[in-house]
Amino acid sequence: MQVRPLGRTGVELTVLGMGTWAMGAGKRRTSNLGPADDEESVATIRRALDLGINWIDTAAYYGFGHAERIVARALRGMRERPLVFTKCGLVPSEVGDFENRITAASIREEVDASLSRLETDVLDLLMIHWPIPDEDLEEGWSTLVDLKAEGKIRFTGVSNFSAAQMARCELIAPIDAIQPEYSLVERTAEKEVFPYAEAIGIGAVTYSPLKHGLLSGRMTRERVDALPPADWRHGHAEYTEPQLSENLRLVDALRVVADRHGRTVSEVAIAWVLRRPCVSSAIVGPRRPAQFDDLVGAAELQLLDDDLAAVEADLGASSGLPR
């Protein structure tokens, strides 16, 4: 599979990464992702590696450690392990699902727990999951820098940070990687985050290229109407009018491009994300091995100028950017 450099780290990542968010489903008190089958999760990770994917994205928050344990189980006994990236900063709460905590003591506790669950001596990359609370940002980032110096993590990164918050981190130590959400219907990163990263050479690994199925080509109005009340997408702006109609029209435009190339709608949507110069890799999160059949072709798909023009012409107002 095609690889790209991760910014200035010297590491090369396959352009698709294996995401494990859904693999922690059902393990949190307020989870609404639906059940996940652990055997299928392990098989899906191994299928990703068979396809040549060389890195896995996970987080302590995904099932509060469950996804990390699944990753460790899938990799157990392998002679050549892929890179495993994880995140910290969301911890269980006694009054709700989680609380944001990025103090030095909390991050160190999380790191030791992640090392144990992942059955490793060093984390390939650790990211602060969210920059909350903002007043603890410098303490949290300094802690990651110290952990890197101590040899517990190889690279440091941030997820869901603004450009201004990234700049505050860079005053302390360079950022190795960022993880913003990015898709055809979530383009906020184009305004400031990507330009900042491109200016100083930070690599991006993006998440939700299909906006949780919305851009897969399989989401219909009838399927949206049938979403159970507990599903987080029920009532979300992207899944309600007027944006739902705009998004479904966008999917129709993607389908035209997909048919032209003999690809799936999902592959075109992911390839659109990968067109951005600073995007090293896009995270995909299938729950079952067979779901890769609709995704993996994105790694080799090169969209033409006419393809991009056709897609851009149908972008909905939900992007927040001019058409």
Side-chain angles (χ1 to χ4, degrees):
M1 185 176 290
Q2 181 188 153
V3 296
R4 294 180 183 176
L6 179 61
R8 50 199 172 181
T9 64
V11 171
E12 289 194 330
L13 301 181
T14 49
V15 294
L16 299 182
M18 176 69 232
T20 63
W21 177 58
M23 295 179 183
K27 303 300 179 180
R28 304 198 320 269
R29 284 200 299 265
T30 61
S31 173
N32 53 18
L33 300 176
D37 182 280
D38 289 351
E39 296 300 326
E40 281 199 318
S41 295
V42 169
T44 302
I45 292 172
R46 290 176 177 168
R47 173 62 174 154
L49 303 183
D50 288 342
L51 289 168
I53 290 174
N54 73 353
W55 75 282
I56 299 170
D57 177 81
T58 190
Y61 174 64
Y62 300 164
F64 289 128
H66 187 71
E68 290 183 328
R69 293 187 186 95
I70 291 296
V71 170
R73 180 177 161 190
L75 301 185
R76 206 169 287 157
M78 287 190 176
R79 185 174 302 174
E80 294 187 15
R81 291 168 58 97
L83 298 166
V84 178
F85 298 172
T86 193
K87 295 176 280 291
C88 65
L90 300 179
V91 299
S93 170
E94 294 182 0
V95 296
D97 185 23
F98 68 90
E99 62 181 85
N100 297 89
R101 194 184 302 160
I102 53 174
T103 61
S106 182
I107 288 176
R108 285 184 173 277
E109 184 177 343
E110 282 199 81
V111 165
D112 288 341
S114 288
L115 287 168
S116 176
R117 288 190 294 261
L118 289 168
E119 301 175 10
T120 185
D121 296 326
V122 58
L123 303 176
D124 292 312
L125 183 143
L126 178 67
M127 295 188 177
I128 296 177
H129 211 145
W130 287 89
I132 305 172
D134 182 77
E135 60 269 21
D136 291 338
L137 188 152
E138 281 80 7
E139 178 180 350
W141 184 246
S142 295
T143 303
L144 264 64
V145 174
D146 290 343
L147 288 164
K148 184 177 182 179
E150 294 166 19
K152 288 192 173 183
I153 57 179
R154 291 192 176 97
F155 298 105
T156 55
V158 298
S159 178
N160 303 301
F161 276 47
S162 69
Q165 290 165 330
M166 290 161 57
R168 286 163 58 186
C169 292
E170 284 275 326
L171 290 174
I172 298 170
I175 297 171
D176 292 319
I178 60 172
Q179 188 177 115
E181 181 176 359
Y182 187 48
S183 71
L184 276 158
V185 296
E186 177 46 70
R187 302 178 65 180
T188 306
E190 293 181 354
K191 297 179 182 179
E192 295 180 356
V193 170
F194 283 163
Y196 181 88
E198 289 167 358
I200 59 178
I202 303 173
V205 291
T206 63
Y207 70 92
S208 295
L210 302 179
K211 196 61 177 179
H212 307 289
L214 182 60
L215 301 177
S216 67
R218 298 178 181 272
M219 188 64 69
T220 63
R221 189 178 304 277
E222 292 73 24
R223 187 173 174 185
V224 170
D225 290 341
L227 290 174
D231 192 305
W232 72 268
R233 295 171 294 184
H234 185 80
H236 189 280
E238 300 292 351
Y239 291 83
T240 55
E241 297 298 349
Q243 287 168 231
L244 177 60
S245 290
E246 293 178 350
N247 292 333
L248 292 177
R249 187 170 62 249
L250 172 60
V251 170
D252 288 339
L254 292 174
R255 187 170 285 109
V256 171
V257 176
D259 290 344
R260 184 185 304 157
H261 289 275
R263 298 292 189 178
T264 67
V265 172
S266 294
E267 288 168 335
V268 174
I270 297 167
W272 183 90
V273 168
L274 293 172
R275 89 205 189 288
R276 188 82 191 195
C278 74
V279 174
S280 302
S281 185
I283 298 167
V284 295
R287 292 186 181 217
R288 296 180 294 279
Q291 291 178 327
F292 272 112
D293 294 343
D294 285 345
L295 306 172
V296 72
E300 306 300 331
L301 177 57
Q302 298 294 320
L303 296 178
L304 307 174
D305 289 343
D306 288 348
D307 299 328
L308 296 172
V311 172
E312 294 279 343
D314 279 279
L315 281 175
S318 61
S319 69
L321 294 171
R323 294 190 183 188

